[in-house]
Amino acid sequence: MKKQFQQSRQPFQSEIQPLLNFYHAGQLPQAEAAAKALLKTYPNTFILHNLLGIVLDGQSKVEEAIASYRKALLLQPAVPDLHFNLGIALSNLGKLDEAAASYRKAIALQPGFFEAYGNLGTVLQKQGKLEEAIANYRKALAINPDALGHFNLATALRNLGNLEEAIASFQNAIAANPNYADAYSRLGEALWHHGKLNEAVDSFNTALAIDPGNVSANYNLAIFLYDNGELERAIPHFERSQFSDWRERVLYCLYKTEQYEAFKEKLKHAISTDNVSPFLATLS
């Protein structure tokens, strides 16, 4: 009986607090060690298994995190947050069907769990199930109309080819968060594909005014300038983006604008990285 009593004991808040302090300070290895030490004394405490899972997930130890969440769920299967956290870890590992099932369990236990609807939508979108994804994004927004929800809905609508609705949703995201640089950038993409070029450029420039290092805004603006023959203006935006074929395009711009010394130097550096694309070989 004494052994059974010891196993059912729960830690005091004062015992858990150092673990939380490590976690909030970003000291994840120390938090992991603290959680494991406490679990030796309190092996049946679902909160500790959940916290350990979060800490492990934060260190990209995803399989270990999943094991911890599953242990927590064996102890408390009716806690929505546990299913939600498990869903995140499974999604990070690419186990999308299992992740979707976990999010659905979280929603079944807590119908107002808008984050679970949103994450379920993201998983479905990754699986190419765009209409289902859109339905879940709309459910999330009906509960909590936040900027991220509008942004996610917009990306799914754009992927489905509904550009006008996507544009409206990106604009809703911006209305909810006027400093949402990614929303401005993606809005610019949608406007560009919809043939509204001047508005698209304005949107890219607004994104860069908010976040000068925004990858997609820099690359998209650079492509626009490149396509319109403004090669010299395109160069700094390609370089800030460092996205996709940016290096090859910079080299092309330098060559076509007769900046031959800069071209030779950058070509030499590009070849030395052992990342020689067919286009780089042609330039060489």
Side-chain angles (χ1 to χ4, degrees), residues 90-111:
L90 289 165
S91 180
N92 289 340
L93 206 60
K95 297 185 176 182
L96 300 183
D97 287 334
E98 292 180 63
S102 290
Y103 290 134
R104 287 190 173 102
K105 287 176 183 175
I107 290 165
L109 291 165
Q110 185 178 321

Side-chain angles (χ1 to χ4, degrees), residues 74-121:
L74 286 174
L75 296 166
Q76 291 286 348
V79 178
D81 285 349
L82 292 178
H83 291 286
F84 181 78
N85 290 342
L86 176 59
I88 293 172
L90 289 165
S91 180
N92 289 340
L93 206 60
K95 297 185 176 182
L96 300 183
D97 287 334
E98 292 180 63
S102 290
Y103 290 134
R104 287 190 173 102
K105 287 176 183 175
I107 290 165
L109 291 165
Q110 185 178 321
F113 203 157
F114 71 90
E115 296 97 336
Y117 278 114
N119 283 17
L120 176 57

Side-chain angles (χ1 to χ4, degrees), residues 185 204-205 207-208 211-225 233-243:
S185 180
F204 295 144
N205 282 322
L208 292 174
D211 176 15
N214 187 276
V215 171
S216 65
N218 272 298
Y219 186 79
N220 285 323
L221 182 56
I223 290 291
F224 177 85
L225 294 167
R233 287 184 61 200
I235 291 170
H237 293 293
F238 278 129
E239 290 181 327
R240 288 190 200 110
S241 77
Q242 297 194 10
F243 177 73

Side-chain angles (χ1 to χ4, degrees), residues 239 242 246-248 250-251 254 261-277 280 284:
E239 290 181 327
Q242 297 194 10
W246 71 276
R247 184 178 279 112
E248 291 91 334
V250 166
L251 286 166
L254 288 170
E261 290 304 315
F263 169 82
K264 290 176 184 176
E265 188 63 31
K266 287 187 181 293
L267 179 60
K268 181 180 177 181
H269 180 265
I271 292 172
S272 70
T273 64
D274 295 325
N275 183 26
V276 183
S277 69
L280 271 181
S284 179

Side-chain angles (χ1 to χ4, degrees), residues 135-201:
N136 279 279
Y137 290 143
R138 292 195 192 282
K139 287 176 183 176
L141 285 166
I143 299 165
N144 184 56
D146 65 343
L148 179 60
H150 287 296
F151 180 87
N152 288 339
L153 174 61
T155 62
L157 289 166
R158 182 199 59 198
N159 291 349
L160 199 61
N162 295 345
L163 286 178
E164 289 189 5
E165 289 185 72
I167 289 167
S169 290
F170 281 128
Q171 289 169 336
N172 287 335
I174 290 165
N177 178 6
N179 292 317
Y180 203 159
D182 281 338
Y184 276 108
S185 180
R186 300 302 181 184
L187 172 61
E189 288 179 19
L191 289 165
W192 190 353
H193 289 301
H194 202 44
K196 300 181 178 181
L197 300 185
N198 291 334
E199 292 178 56
V201 171

